[in-house]
Amino acid sequence: MKYIFVTGGVVSSLGKGLTAAALGTLLENRGLKVALQKFDPYLNVDPGTMSPYQHGEVYVLDDGAETDLDLGHYERFTSTKLTRYNNLTSGQVYQRVLDKERRGDYLGKTVQVIPHVTDEIQNRIREIREQSKADVLITEIGGTTGDIEGLPFLEAIREFALEAGHNNVVFIHVTFVPFIKAAGELKTKPTQQSVAKLREIGITPHILVCRCEQPLNKELRQKISLFCNVPYEAVIEEKDVDHSIYEVPLMLQRERMDDIVCDLLRLDVPAANMSHWQDIIRKLIAPQHRVRIGVVGKYIELQDAYKSVYEAIIHGGIANDCGVEIEKIDAEEIEKHGPEKILSGLGGILVPGGFGERGIEGKIMAARFARENKLPYLGLCLGMQIATIEFARHVLKLDNAHSSEFDPNTPHPVIAMLDEQKNVTQKGGTMRLGAQPCQLVVGSKAAQLYGAFVVSERHRHRYEFNNAYRGQMEAAGLIIAGTTSDGKLVEVIELKDHPFFIASQFHPEFQSKPNAPHPLFRGFIAAAHNRIHHRPL
Ligand code: GLN
């Protein structure tokens, strides 16, 4: 097995995860089996308990792990299957070390960061090696070089590289080369200092990926090469993308990054054939059609809170050769100004997942507007609960119908807590999580789109459609289009006599990829496009 470690310098949010994932795409397309993992130096056991303001989206895996959103990039850019072992936090490391200490496994020794914490970190690399049987393992270290909390991880990979041996390890450092407007030039000093910091720890990067707004000229590359002790051709330019993050693998290929990696690791593999990827980019840059989709949420000012949702919408566009403009709509704005003003003119409305009461009424107004105006609607998790509440209130005329999450005293809890959730007191990792089979109903639009009757989708929620209202709802035109295999939990709802109104209790966005757009998103964008282009004048 060969190992690639990706670290980051100067500032956070440089897109290390994207770079790691894009390198994964290239290596896979050279015929290698690739595994990816992320180390996060924070003390939370997982990001499941963190607010979107702190952390962005929580990405859920098949096995129910709540993970860092970079794992979403890994799954979208490669065919690697991830499990909870692919995301390690300091919290998990310390939990394991302390469990061992309490069991007496350390046989009277003083338990220390080196070697006990670092060993535990290395164990995770070995675990993935055994499990994945991959040719190459790409490990991304979260945080920025120089952070105190990242030190044990850097020490662990330094030691590990020694064990793995020459030609088996590549260190890639993703750094920032800022453009200083007043001087009119790119500056290399922060990169030099960040590399110096790494070398102090004993890591000399083989490759520098320089994130920059302007192209790096020859002189700058030479300067970075000389001062950072990295060969000239291994100074890689990674400019801000013009159109889409899916351009990154092609950009890195142009910079011959995968060639350099394969040379360093002595991997004799053919060049990557990226023609299918080029086709995706063509559809993103010059689509045949265009449509505007409104995403009605609570964290719309944050880039990352609905990451997978935005990506899946774009994939739905790729499937229809349709450019999608995503309108991020604050649900509270709908409450203030009414839905017409904000939602008219859109091709479709999507209500994503969420927690907490803020903006709920605005989302209900959006679902009503979509139902009444026959505007395509896709609801995800909370988005299905919203559609259910809306239907109960305005079609069944059940006044004050609600989810017991938002109104524990509602006379009509059409969405209510699962029985198994009622005695749960701990917050972390206790929701209904991960992939479960869903049985789709013959004749439903969902079954038609999936082209299957049993599908597997990922969950992350505590509340469910209340079966006490199922009969009334169905009689009034709500279609229960999907349930759990035992028929007990409602998983998908649709509306009769509507061009596209589908909502799911699960999160389809986690399984969509640019080269395999999710069927529900494909259908949603197709419907939105149809509406725009076939609307009577
Ligand atoms: N808050 C809702 C629940 O817990 C929906 C969760 C979600 O959208 N992920 O059931």
Side-chain angles (χ1 to χ4, degrees):
M1 182 129 168
K2 307 285 185 176
Y3 305 90
I4 299 170
F5 294 105
V6 181
T7 55
V10 184
V11 285
S12 59
S13 304
L14 284 180
K16 279 195 305 287
L18 209 55
T19 304
L23 177 61
T25 313
L26 291 173
L27 295 180
E28 255 193 7
N29 281 289
R30 298 185 74 134
L32 295 164
K33 185 166 168 20
V34 178
L36 289 119
Q37 73 181 152
K38 169 107 196 254
F39 290 164
D40 278 309
Y42 51 72
L43 283 171
N44 302 62
V45 171
D46 63 40
T49 53
M50 276 190 244
S51 143
Y53 286 111
Q54 291 284 312
H55 190 271
E57 167 185 273
V58 173
Y59 187 76
V60 182
L61 304 179
D62 268 354
D63 69 359
E66 297 175 280
T67 69
D68 185 83
L69 57 80
D70 280 321
L71 278 81
H73 291 311
Y74 303 169
E75 286 201 333
R76 285 189 282 271
F77 277 77
T78 70
S79 57
T80 181
K81 265 279 158 217
L82 304 173
T83 72
R84 61 181 64 252
Y85 294 105
N86 296 70
N87 192 188
L88 180 71
T89 66
S90 290
Q92 290 170 32
V93 174
Y94 282 100
Q95 202 167 46
R96 267 162 91 154
V97 169
L98 293 177
D99 284 348
K100 280 188 177 172
E101 188 273 340
R102 289 291 86 179
R103 277 203 309 266
D105 291 2
Y106 294 114
L107 304 174
K109 292 207 182 78
T110 306
V111 182
Q112 294 179 298
V113 171
I114 302 171
H116 301 106
V117 166
T118 47
D119 271 356
E120 212 50 68
I121 294 168
Q122 291 171 11
N123 282 343
R124 186 56 71 87
I125 302 174
R126 294 187 193 100
E127 274 163 13
I128 296 293
R129 172 175 67 201
E130 301 314 318
Q131 268 180 23
S132 67
K133 308 266 183 286
D135 302 309
V136 182
L137 168 60
I138 304 175
T139 303
E140 176 194 349
I141 321 294
T144 308
T145 308
D147 294 349
I148 291 176
E149 54 191 14
L151 283 175
F153 288 93
L154 297 177
E155 170 63 15
I157 61 172
R158 182 194 67 77
E159 290 175 11
F160 189 89
L162 207 64
E163 174 189 312
H166 204 51
N167 299 333
N168 289 326
V169 178
V170 169
F171 287 110
I172 298 175
H173 192 55
V174 182
T175 173
F176 183 45
V177 182
F179 180 74
I180 304 297
K181 258 209 200 107
E185 37 179 79
L186 289 164
K187 291 290 180 189
T188 65
K189 191 79 76 193
T191 295
Q192 295 175 40
Q193 287 178 345
S194 168
V195 171
K197 198 95 208 138
L198 261 186
R199 287 164 65 189
E200 216 172 82
I201 299 161
I203 294 174
T204 304
H206 300 91
I207 297 175
L208 283 179
V209 176
C210 302
R211 297 279 293 107
C212 45
E213 287 171 50
Q214 308 275 337
L216 288 180
N217 61 27
K218 199 172 162 202
E219 257 167 71
L220 282 170
R221 288 198 202 225
Q222 277 168 342
K223 193 168 170 188
I224 294 172
S225 160
L226 187 66
F227 292 143
C228 298
N229 204 28
V230 171
Y232 176 79
E233 59 281 2
V235 179
I236 305 285
E237 168 192 292
E238 193 185 310
K239 254 182 53 185
D240 293 350
V241 288
D242 292 330
H243 303 278
S244 153
I245 54 169
Y246 300 111
E247 292 171 61
V248 177
L250 299 178
M251 269 170 52
L252 297 181
Q253 191 184 33
R254 276 197 296 276
E255 292 282 301
R256 304 196 54 222
M257 179 167 168
D258 55 322
D259 288 341
I260 299 169
V261 166
C262 290
D263 279 351
L264 286 164
L265 294 175
R266 304 286 187 268
L267 288 165
D268 187 15
V269 283
N273 178 355
M274 296 298 285
S275 52
H276 63 298
W277 209 266
Q278 271 148 359
D279 193 42
I280 290 171
I281 302 299
R282 202 276 304 149
K283 286 183 182 151
L284 286 169
I285 295 177
Q288 302 271 339
H289 320 281
R290 290 202 181 267
V291 72
R292 263 170 73 222
I293 297 294
V295 173
V296 180
K298 170 172 156 186
Y299 298 109
I300 43 108
E301 76 277 19
L302 302 177
Q303 282 272 6
D304 286 345
Y306 305 114
K307 187 103 206 151
S308 296
V309 175
Y310 295 148
E311 292 308 316
I313 292 174
I314 290 165
H315 305 160
I318 295 171
N320 289 283
D321 206 344
C322 186
V324 191
E325 196 185 314
I326 299 176
E327 189 104 356
K328 300 171 181 175
I329 300 166
D330 183 344
E332 286 178 295
E333 291 297 307
I334 300 181
E335 289 168 17
K336 277 188 222 145
H337 307 292
E340 284 85 358
K341 212 174 131 208
I342 299 176
L343 304 176
S344 306
L346 292 170
I349 296 176
L350 187 148
V351 176
F355 299 81
E357 216 190 328
R358 182 162 66 82
I360 290 294
E361 291 304 321
K363 292 178 190 172
I364 293 173
M365 289 160 109
R368 181 178 192 175
F369 186 83
R371 180 178 57 77
E372 292 181 343
N373 293 284
K374 308 245 184 267
L375 189 59
Y377 178 92
L378 183 61
L380 312 175
C381 202
L382 177 67
M384 185 191 102
Q385 301 177 352
I386 292 287
T388 307
I389 298 165
E390 190 283 311
F391 192 86
R393 285 189 191 173
H394 305 119
V395 179
L396 294 182
K397 309 280 183 225
L398 300 175
D399 284 348
N400 298 318
H402 222 319
S403 161
S404 51
E405 177 178 4
F406 311 122
D407 179 3
N409 302 316
T410 169
H412 299 291
V414 289
I415 303 292
M417 192 176 263
L418 269 178
D419 275 344
E420 69 207 44
Q421 284 286 335
K422 288 191 176 143
N423 298 322
V424 170
T425 50
Q426 296 254 58
K427 284 266 187 276
T430 54
M431 286 188 242
R432 179 178 174 217
L433 285 167
Q436 282 164 28
C438 166
Q439 183 80 40
L440 296 171
V441 170
V442 180
S444 64
K445 211 169 261 161
Q448 216 175 31
L449 286 169
Y450 276 100
F453 294 114
V454 181
V455 296
S456 170
E457 292 284 5
R458 300 178 188 175
H459 296 75
R460 183 172 188 254
H461 65 113
R462 289 187 206 280
Y463 295 81
E464 293 284 347
F465 186 104
N466 185 343
N467 285 330
Y469 293 89
R470 209 152 141 173
Q472 293 177 60
M473 298 241 189
E474 284 183 291
L478 189 98
I479 302 164
I480 308 290
T483 62
T484 42
S485 317
D486 60 7
K488 285 195 179 140
L489 302 179
V490 172
E491 292 279 43
V492 185
I493 60 169
E494 295 179 8
L495 286 186
K496 258 194 203 128
D497 305 323
H498 193 290
F500 189 103
F501 196 107
I502 300 185
S504 66
Q505 188 55 77
F506 48 72
H507 290 271
E509 69 271 23
F510 292 140
Q511 295 201 86
S512 188
K513 295 177 182 227
N515 49 3
H518 192 285
L520 293 183
F521 284 87
R522 172 169 42 81
F524 175 54
I525 300 298
H529 169 253
N530 274 341
R531 175 183 166 88
I532 299 290
H533 291 267
H534 304 290
R535 191 168 38 181
L537 294 170

